[in-house]
Amino acid sequence: MRLDLFLKLSRVCPRRSIAQKLCEAGLVLLNQRPVKPAHPVKAGDIIAVRRPDRETEFRVLTVPEARNVSRRDAKDLIEVIAEKRFEPVDL
């Protein structure tokens, strides 16, 4: 499954277009390497998503075969490993 689609189905990103923009900006790391939105995801991969206020790192537990996942089942796709929060910086 494509990385951008997985981020949407796991509810890490609200829309696939946002996941694509994060990947293209280099803010999504798969196994500590920046990747494109079409990169395949498999169980056991470590994904880190950077945002202005936080960075979340999680492990892929399962990759769904269907393109629709219920909100209840989406939480079983990933396991959050670490979450770092950043303080806003005034320049």
Side-chain angles (χ1 to χ4, degrees):
M1 174 173 285
R2 290 173 55 110
L3 176 60
D4 57 349
L5 185 57
F6 181 80
L7 291 174
K8 176 195 168 284
L9 292 178
S10 63
R11 306 296 199 273
V12 174
C13 292
R15 288 185 296 282
R16 185 173 172 191
S17 61
I18 293 174
Q20 289 172 334
K21 289 178 184 175
L22 288 172
C23 290
E24 290 168 358
L27 299 175
V28 177
L29 304 176
L30 181 68
N31 298 324
Q32 300 178 352
R33 296 176 54 198
V35 290
K36 294 187 177 187
H39 196 84
V41 175
K42 59 186 180 298
D45 284 345
I46 304 294
I47 300 174
V49 179
R50 296 180 190 167
R51 296 196 176 153
D53 60 337
R54 69 181 181 268
E55 179 179 335
T56 306
E57 189 173 312
F58 55 90
R59 177 179 292 114
V60 177
L61 299 177
T62 59
V63 177
E65 295 190 17
R67 289 193 171 238
N68 290 325
V69 176
S70 69
R71 183 173 287 157
R72 184 175 28 145
D73 294 339
K75 66 180 179 176
D76 297 333
L77 299 178
I78 61 171
E79 171 190 17
V80 176
I81 298 171
E83 186 166 5
K84 300 175 193 169
R85 295 207 177 262
F86 303 119
E87 295 295 325
V89 177
D90 293 331
L91 297 178

